[in-house]
Amino acid sequence: MMNEEQVIKRDGWTYWSKRKLVWLSRINHCQGFGVQSPWAFKMVCNVINGREHHEAYDSLKGEYPRLDAVTRKLCQLFLRLSYDRQPQTVVDFGAANGVYVDYIKAGCEGAKCFSVPYNTSEGEIHRLLEIFQSVDMVMISPYGNFHRFAQLALQNVHDGTVFMLDGIHESKNAKILWNEILKEWQDIVTFDLYYCGLVFFASKRYKQNYIINF
């Protein structure tokens, strides 16, 4: 069980006031405004801020009725992303429960999803990633040994792999990892959604970081 220091706070009046300020500060980044790449524009409009209502939204809301609004919005994003990318292998590191994995499976029934607890040792992480060989989708929550997990998982990426890093502006350590990836990797297209960061590994695309009002 995680203690309070290991959970990103997404409730309360202070948080919701901050969320409004974040939205206003990114108002010029709505629905693909300023995005020149046709691929990135489609990703923003159809997936990241996609408005299509998937049937699984309702059943999953019944299964997880107490999610705060931002977490549910992220979960629904992961479903849309899974539906769009159709990943074969998904690894979820550090999530408090199986909610992310369940949303991913709703988007791609054939995905093989593996959950890695936040307190997994480095040796066990290394062993697991060796078994996977390569990964198509990786979700990382900023708890426990997440930084080392990310470093190891980055060795298993290929063209088409997607990383989702939770809390890149809400967790100091997650922000450090996010900035490291932006600085050190070249063949990537990234989307800064404030609440999470998306990293698409794509050697045939120009490196670009898009700030999106999510």
Side-chain angles (χ1 to χ4, degrees):
M1 180 70 67
M2 295 181 185
N3 59 45
E4 291 186 356
E5 294 179 352
Q6 294 171 305
V7 177
I8 295 175
K9 300 291 187 181
R10 285 177 171 146
D11 274 319
W13 286 108
T14 301
Y15 183 85
W16 287 102
S17 297
K18 181 179 178 181
R19 186 183 177 194
K20 290 180 180 179
L21 291 175
V22 170
W23 191 90
L24 288 172
S25 71
R26 297 182 172 216
I27 198 168
N28 291 328
H29 301 277
C30 293
Q31 289 300 320
F33 181 82
V35 176
Q36 301 300 320
S37 162
W39 175 85
F41 184 84
K42 180 181 177 181
M43 181 60 61
V44 172
C45 294
N46 295 351
V47 180
I48 294 175
N49 285 327
R51 296 181 179 179
E52 180 183 356
H53 185 85
H54 291 262
E55 292 182 4
Y57 287 173
D58 297 328
S59 60
L60 286 166
K61 187 174 183 179
E63 188 172 347
Y64 296 99
R66 298 182 180 179
L67 295 180
D68 63 79
V70 173
T71 301
R72 189 173 304 283
K73 192 174 184 180
L74 287 173
C75 286
Q76 292 177 351
L77 164 64
F78 296 160
L79 186 156
R80 294 192 300 272
L81 192 57
S82 176
Y83 182 79
D84 179 77
R85 308 294 291 186
Q86 292 294 297
Q88 294 183 9
T89 305
V90 179
V91 182
D92 177 19
F93 179 88
N97 51 46
V99 59
Y100 289 168
V101 165
D102 284 348
Y103 272 83
I104 289 290
K105 286 182 177 179
C108 179
E109 293 182 359
K112 296 180 180 179
C113 300
F114 303 88
S115 296
V116 181
Y118 75 95
N119 55 358
T120 302
S121 67
E122 180 176 334
E124 183 66 10
I125 289 171
H126 197 280
R127 188 189 69 81
L128 288 170
L129 290 174
E130 281 187 335
I131 293 174
F132 299 146
Q133 295 297 314
S134 66
V135 290
D136 301 316
M137 188 172 286
V138 180
M139 296 173 290
I140 304 176
S141 300
Y143 313 126
N145 208 13
F146 82 98
H147 201 134
R148 184 54 179 158
F149 168 83
Q151 290 175 330
L152 293 172
L154 285 167
Q155 299 175 18
N156 294 57
V157 301
H158 57 81
D159 263 17
T161 296
V162 184
F163 267 43
M164 294 96 88
L165 179 57
D166 198 4
I168 60 172
H169 292 286
E170 301 167 293
S171 161
K172 178 181 178 180
N173 291 330
K175 189 172 186 177
I176 290 172
L177 174 58
W178 173 250
N179 287 330
E180 284 181 3
I181 293 174
L182 293 182
K183 180 180 179 180
E184 296 175 7
W185 284 80
Q186 295 303 314
D187 298 332
I188 56 174
V189 178
T190 54
F191 296 87
D192 177 342
L193 312 185
Y194 186 84
Y195 305 103
C196 83
L198 302 180
V199 184
F200 292 81
F201 294 85
S203 61
K204 295 183 180 180
R205 302 192 185 280
Y206 291 106
K207 181 176 181 178
Q208 183 71 48
N209 179 49
Y210 296 100
I211 296 174
I212 304 299
N213 199 353
F214 174 67

